[in-house]
């Protein structure tokens, strides 16, 4: 505790909180309020159980989400009997998981990107991240698309030719793999926490609140790294979890074929729509360096455990559900889901693209056929330097302040609607994404308000709605 206090003073340069806005101390909080602390403790205690509950409900109750809870409450089932029926940790799953993570780390760190030399329009190779609050600009090796292609080419080669493993291997080891993902998630978060005290990558960008739970959850180091190129945020955010997303879906599809003898149109829709989202992520990985995850969040349990466990297990619930319930949609339903997914994707991508284009060209571009309108703004980094920036007020950024989130939510709803309306479980994703993105929107606006001060208020006057005009 004492050392954390010392560090707080050290990173804060002895300045009082009210001066932080001017001095560029934006980003995650310095002081923890009671509400945040309760949320942090709640998530630390319950998030792993939520993941377990959903997976167990499918595995033992055919995805009837309320049934285990009612049985437990009525005393018809004991928690220990649920536990006894749950697949245990296995060393074969641990070996598989270790090989997977090691292979992704190898691809990420040891195979520099060559694909940007051949693929027109793709931005890869060494790229700059955003300026950190301490004024640093980190370099990143952007090779996610290449890693995704190599991994999926190997998966396809195995399925079509080599047969080293069954394409259902992920589904077949889903629960043992979950224990391994938890071990990695906790290990990496704990390592990052200790590293921040003992050998931080850049101590000027560390934040210590003095509250051990908050610091563990929200992270202390901003951009922890091992060596020059192993960046914790880029790797855990983008590699083992998101590359696995499409493979997990393919494994669910293979399992549906194995169990039911056919693949349903709903499973194809989920695979296609989510693959578009994943590929979009890797195609735009250089842009992703400028998003909140990389350029504002510190690396703690929220990102470390979240990327290892929450993302692969809960973002893929739809495909998992469809193995137990092979829903065949009517043509009209399938078409509606497809349209909703594609329109959502279009809104999401165009909104993100507009901001990226606008920021890259410093406003010298055309948005919806016109010169963009914007608000000139300024902010200061910790070194006291003043930087200029611009806040776009045209295109989708003039419709609402986070219309990219609205598009994302439309896409998320499409994945859920692909599963029909018989069970609530696949709809967890849209409920979760709504909470995540609304919270993120509020968090981001709070940060922007600290960063830009009165310029941000001018922007919110010009664009008064957050997600949906006249609603929110
Ligand atoms: P944004 O891409 O919306 O970035 C917000 C930042 O953009 C602000 O902090 C500010 O940064 C800048 N900004 C805000 N308003 C303007 C404006 N009018 N003009 C120019 N710049 C502005 O947010 P995210 O990084 O959260 O999201 C990126 C995408 O990732 C979104 O589409 C989101 O839906 C998606 N996403 C998906 C998740 C998932 O789990 N599937 C999770 C999180 C995000 P600055 O300091 O540079 O001014």
């Amino acid at each position: 505790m004492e050392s954390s206090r010392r560090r707080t003073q050290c990173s804060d340069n002895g300045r009082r909180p009210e001066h932080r806005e001017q001095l560029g101390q934006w980003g995650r909080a310095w002081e923890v309020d009671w509400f945040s602390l309760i949320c942090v403790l709640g998530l630390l205690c319950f998030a792993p159980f939520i993941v377990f509950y959903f997976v167990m409900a499918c595995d033992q109750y055919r995805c009837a989400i309320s049934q285990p809870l009612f049985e437990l409450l009525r005393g018809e089932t004991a928690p220990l009997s649920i536990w006894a029926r749950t697949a245990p940790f296995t060393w074969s799953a641990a070996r598989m998981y270790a090989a997977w993570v090691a292979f992704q780390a190898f691809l990420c760190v040891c195979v520099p990107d060559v694909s940007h030399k051949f693929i027109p329009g793709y931005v890869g190779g060494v790229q700059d991240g955003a300026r950190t609050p301490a004024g640093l600009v980190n370099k990143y090796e952007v090779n996610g698309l290449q890693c995704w292609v190599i991994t999926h080419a190997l998966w396809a080669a195995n399925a079509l030719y080599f047969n080293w493993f069954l394409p259902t291997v992920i589904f077949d080891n889903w629960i043992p793999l979950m224990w391994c993902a938890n071990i990695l998630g906790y290990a990496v978060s704990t390592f990052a926490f200790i590293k921040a005290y003992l050998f931080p990558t850049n101590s000027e960008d560390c934040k210590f609140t003095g509250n051990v739970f908050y610091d563990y959850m929200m992270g202390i180091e901003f951009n922890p790294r091992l060596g020059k190129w192993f960046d914790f945020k880029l790797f855990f955010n983008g590699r083992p979890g998101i590359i696995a997303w499409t493979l997990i879906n393919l494994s669910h599809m293979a399992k549906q074929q194995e169990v039911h003898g056919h693949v349903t149109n709903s499973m194809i829709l989920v695979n296609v729509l989510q693959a578009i989202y994943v590929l979009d992520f890797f195609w735009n990985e250089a842009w992703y360096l400028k998003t909140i995850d990389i350029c504002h969040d510190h690396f703690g349990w929220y990102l470390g455990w979240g990327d290892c466990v929450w993302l692969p297990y809960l973002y893929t619930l739809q495909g998992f559900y469809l193995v137990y319930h092979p829903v065949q949609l009517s043509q009209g339903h399938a078409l509606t889901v497809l349209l909703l997914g594609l329109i959502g994707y279009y809104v999401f991508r165009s909104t993100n693209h507009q901001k990226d284009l606008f920021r890259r060209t410093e406003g010298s571009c055309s948005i919806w056929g016109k010169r963009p309108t914007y608000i000139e703004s300024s902010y200061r980094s910790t070194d006291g330097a003043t930087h200029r920036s611009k806040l776009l007020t045209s295109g989708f950024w003039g419709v609402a302040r986070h219309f990219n989130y609205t598009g994302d939510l439309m896409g998320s709803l499409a994945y859920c609607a692909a599963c029909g309306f018989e069970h609530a479980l696949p709809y967890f994703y849209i409920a979760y994404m709504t909470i995540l993105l609304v919270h993120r929107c509020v968090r981001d606006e709070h940060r922007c308000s600290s960063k830009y001060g009165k310029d941000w208020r001018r922007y919110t006057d010009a664009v008064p709605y957050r997600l949906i005009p006249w609603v929110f």
Side-chain angles (χ1 to χ4, degrees), residues 358-373:
F358 170 76
R359 281 277 170 95
R360 262 192 295 117
T361 59
E362 300 199 348
S364 305
C365 59
S366 161
I367 289 180
W368 288 354
K370 290 192 211 133
R371 299 278 300 171
T373 56

Side-chain angles (χ1 to χ4, degrees), residues 348-412:
F348 160 82
R349 173 54 29 226
S350 313
T351 313
N352 287 325
H353 175 69
Q354 284 176 355
K355 187 185 83 176
D356 185 46
L357 178 71
F358 170 76
R359 281 277 170 95
R360 262 192 295 117
T361 59
E362 300 199 348
S364 305
C365 59
S366 161
I367 289 180
W368 288 354
K370 290 192 211 133
R371 299 278 300 171
T373 56
Y374 54 84
I375 285 170
E376 288 279 5
S377 50
S378 63
Y379 64 93
R380 292 173 79 184
S381 46
T382 18
D383 53 13
T386 301
H387 306 272
R388 302 206 70 76
S389 188
K390 293 180 172 70
L391 295 166
L392 179 61
T393 51
S394 51
F396 284 122
W397 294 87
V399 176
R401 300 201 291 273
H402 267 107
F403 215 57
N404 48 349
Y405 292 180
T406 312
D408 210 344
L409 289 175
M410 289 164 74
S412 307

Side-chain angles (χ1 to χ4, degrees), residues 6 13 70 86 144 183 248 272 320 383 386 416 418 421:
R6 271 204 306 276
N13 298 329
F70 285 141
T86 304
I183 292 170
I248 294 166
V272 169
F320 194 49
D383 53 13
T386 301
C416 304
F421 304 111

Side-chain angles (χ1 to χ4, degrees), residues 158-215:
N158 173 69
L160 300 173
Y161 187 71
F162 293 111
N163 291 315
W164 293 313
F165 51 84
L166 291 171
T168 56
V169 67
I170 303 177
F171 182 95
D172 295 338
N173 290 279
W174 198 224
I175 295 178
L177 286 171
M178 183 173 75
W179 305 130
C180 303
N182 269 286
I183 292 170
L184 181 68
Y186 277 96
V188 77
S189 315
T190 308
F191 178 76
F193 182 75
I194 296 169
K195 178 181 175 312
Y197 281 90
L198 300 183
F199 52 104
T201 304
N202 174 27
S203 56
E204 284 295 297
D205 268 324
C206 287
K207 274 193 177 179
F208 295 84
T209 60
N211 184 296
V212 72
F213 295 110
Y214 189 86
D215 285 353

